[in-house]
């Protein structure tokens, strides 16, 4: 297919397609003339995935490129799936103050209590520490009483997801699920949480937020 058809079928504007190719998110098509290239169904699938990671999953172009590069590598062990999942977590600078030290202790304690086997360099571990440190700085102390219930809930969710992913026929499709379910699943869980918060508020007080 030509780039115009690739754009039509994917819903991605041609300038964005060219940008993704320049940034390494999408491989170039097969050149058929100096000004023409041919694209395959694999390009369409990759384009949809790249767009989802960036526009729905909220990944930066660089992060999306790293994730897609890992997917293209030889996924010959389950550790490669973990690397793909790690690449989906944005790494941020943090301040190691008193709040950070307390949050770090709480994260270590939570992981130990639940007997989770988690690598010390897991970027999500650092993200959680920074989030809890921010809660400490804002003096949201009553929030921490919920941590155990949060861990219980997400632990059950992770069990369901990993069971479903491990049911896939090969490692390549597992890797794709890890990437898509993590990036897009974050948006799903966040949206469901907000919907449930409104529903619970309405149950307790009646009416709707937009009344």
């Amino acid at each position: 297919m030509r780039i115009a058809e690739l754009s039509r079928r994917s819903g991605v504007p041609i300038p964005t397609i060219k940008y993704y190719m320049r940034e390494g998110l999408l491989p170039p098509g097969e050149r058929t003339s100096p000004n023409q290239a041919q694209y395959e169904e694999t390009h369409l699938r990759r384009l949809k995935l790249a767009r989802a990671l960036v526009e729905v999953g909220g990944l930066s172009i660089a992060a999306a490129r790293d994730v897609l590069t890992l997917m293209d590598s030889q996924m010959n062990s389950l550790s490669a799936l973990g690397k793909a999942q790690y690449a989906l977590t944005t790494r941020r600078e943090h301040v190691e103050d008193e709040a950070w030290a307390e949050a770090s202790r709480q994260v270590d304690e939570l992981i130990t209590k639940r007997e989770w086997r988690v690598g010390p360099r897991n970027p999500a571990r650092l993200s959680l520490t920074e989030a809890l440190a921010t809660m400490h700085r804002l003096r949201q102390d009553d929030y921490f009483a919920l941590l155990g219930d949060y861990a219980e809930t997400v632990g059950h969710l992770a069990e369901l997801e990993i069971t479903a992913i491990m049911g896939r026929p090969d490692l390549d499709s597992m890797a794709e699920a890890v990437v898509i379910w993590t990036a897009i699943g974050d948006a799903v869980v966040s949206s469901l949480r907000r919907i449930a918060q409104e529903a619970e508020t309405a149950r307790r007080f009646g009416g709707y937020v937009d009344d």
Side-chain angles (χ1 to χ4, degrees):
M1 73 185 87
R2 301 295 187 190
I3 194 169
E5 183 180 356
L6 181 63
S7 175
R8 179 184 61 80
R9 292 181 61 185
S10 66
V12 180
I14 291 177
T16 302
I17 294 175
K18 292 181 178 180
Y19 173 61
Y20 283 177
M21 282 192 284
R22 288 197 304 271
E23 293 296 326
L25 274 66
L26 183 70
E30 181 181 354
R31 187 66 62 182
T32 57
S33 72
N35 298 316
Q36 296 288 340
Q38 188 73 17
Y39 301 92
E40 308 294 336
E41 291 295 324
T42 52
H43 288 91
L44 179 62
R45 184 177 181 87
R46 170 55 63 91
L47 179 57
K48 289 180 177 179
L49 176 56
R51 185 188 195 187
L53 292 176
V54 173
E55 297 185 12
V56 182
L59 271 67
S60 67
I61 293 295
R65 181 173 56 244
D66 289 345
V67 170
L68 294 172
T69 298
L70 280 169
M71 288 184 63
D72 289 337
S73 65
Q74 294 297 316
M75 290 288 191
N76 55 11
S77 71
L78 291 179
S79 65
L81 300 182
K83 291 179 181 179
Q85 200 258 16
Y86 276 26
L88 288 161
T89 303
T90 302
R91 292 166 172 79
R92 297 182 176 88
E93 296 295 327
H94 59 269
V95 177
E96 297 191 8
D97 55 4
E98 185 177 339
W100 171 271
E102 176 60 18
S104 181
R105 183 195 64 77
Q106 288 177 310
V107 170
D108 290 345
E109 183 180 272
L110 183 67
I111 291 173
T112 300
K113 184 176 182 180
R114 296 204 59 83
E115 298 182 345
W116 284 343
R117 296 177 61 184
V118 180
R121 292 181 294 179
N122 185 324
R125 186 173 189 153
L126 297 178
S127 295
L128 176 59
T129 302
E130 179 57 27
L132 296 185
T134 300
M135 285 289 189
H136 279 299
R137 294 175 190 127
L138 295 174
R139 300 189 178 183
Q140 299 297 310
D141 297 332
D142 48 348
Y143 180 86
F144 297 96
L146 306 178
L147 278 179
D149 291 328
Y150 278 168
E152 182 73 25
T153 300
V154 298
H156 178 59
L157 177 60
E159 182 180 354
L160 293 175
E161 290 176 336
I162 297 304
T163 298
I165 289 172
M166 295 300 291
R168 292 205 167 191
D170 54 62
L171 205 54
D172 285 340
S173 61
M174 289 182 194
E176 183 178 69
V178 167
V179 168
I180 296 173
W181 291 21
T182 300
I184 312 305
D186 284 351
V188 171
V189 172
S190 178
S191 298
L192 283 172
R193 179 169 173 252
R194 285 164 173 76
I195 291 170
Q197 285 173 339
E198 179 177 348
E200 179 62 17
T201 301
R203 185 186 71 82
R204 296 191 183 199
F205 299 101
Y208 297 92
V209 170
D210 57 359
D211 280 351

